Amino acid sequence: MPSASADEPDARFPYGRLLFALTARVSASTDERQIAALLHQVLDGNDGLLTRLGEFFDAAADKARARDRNDGDDDAFYLAKDLAEAATRLRRLGEDLHVVPERMAGLAAGSPAEPWRPLSPGAMTASLPTPPAPAPGRTP
């Protein structure tokens, strides 16, 4: 199977394609306020990408913990530990970078006179690819 080039992300990884599109928007932008809004999508402590990715790893850790409890599987124990540690690192990264959107917006010419605000949800998703629908009977 041919691999996708850097310009064309592999269709087998729709979430990677979404992040690629977000990255492309940052790369193409000359507006620090728009870049700040995109950073906010990643770094928001409640709904940002890092927060959700941390939750993803926590959920996977829970599944490994359940296997460890049920079967006493040593690998499951260590896998759960590794996944939980990854979730913790992501949360810490988000905490360390939480002011980055405001700092990026501050780079915009004349920004001190006008406070930064995140873009509306419609403005954020206008040019991003649509994520895949969950399989029937499953939740994302």
Side-chain angles (χ1 to χ4, degrees):
M1 177 177 287
S3 64
S5 72
D7 295 326
E8 189 176 325
D10 192 324
R12 295 174 300 160
F13 300 95
Y15 300 107
R17 289 174 62 101
L18 282 169
L19 190 53
F20 183 88
L22 193 64
T23 302
R25 286 180 67 181
V26 169
S27 295
S29 182
T30 58
D31 179 358
E32 288 87 357
R33 290 181 176 281
Q34 182 183 30
I35 296 167
L38 294 168
L39 284 164
H40 181 72
Q41 292 294 304
V42 174
L43 298 173
D44 181 76
N46 293 320
D47 293 311
L49 178 71
L50 283 183
T51 298
R52 298 301 179 199
L53 194 54
E55 292 169 353
F56 172 84
F57 282 109
D58 276 333
D62 288 344
K63 294 298 180 180
R65 277 188 210 99
R67 179 66 180 252
D68 175 45
R69 282 191 301 271
N70 293 337
D71 301 339
D73 187 331
D74 283 345
D75 191 44
F77 172 82
Y78 290 108
L79 177 59
K81 184 177 180 269
D82 290 343
L83 290 165
E85 186 176 304
T88 298
R89 286 180 182 171
L90 288 165
R91 279 191 291 277
R92 285 185 184 145
L93 182 60
E95 290 166 2
D96 291 346
L97 298 176
H98 77 280
V99 296
V100 164
E102 290 83 1
R103 290 178 63 199
M104 178 60 76
L107 299 178
S111 63
E114 185 180 327
W116 173 78
R117 295 187 203 319
L119 292 177
S120 69
M124 290 307 308
T125 58
S127 65
L128 294 177
T130 304
R138 294 186 177 216
T139 58

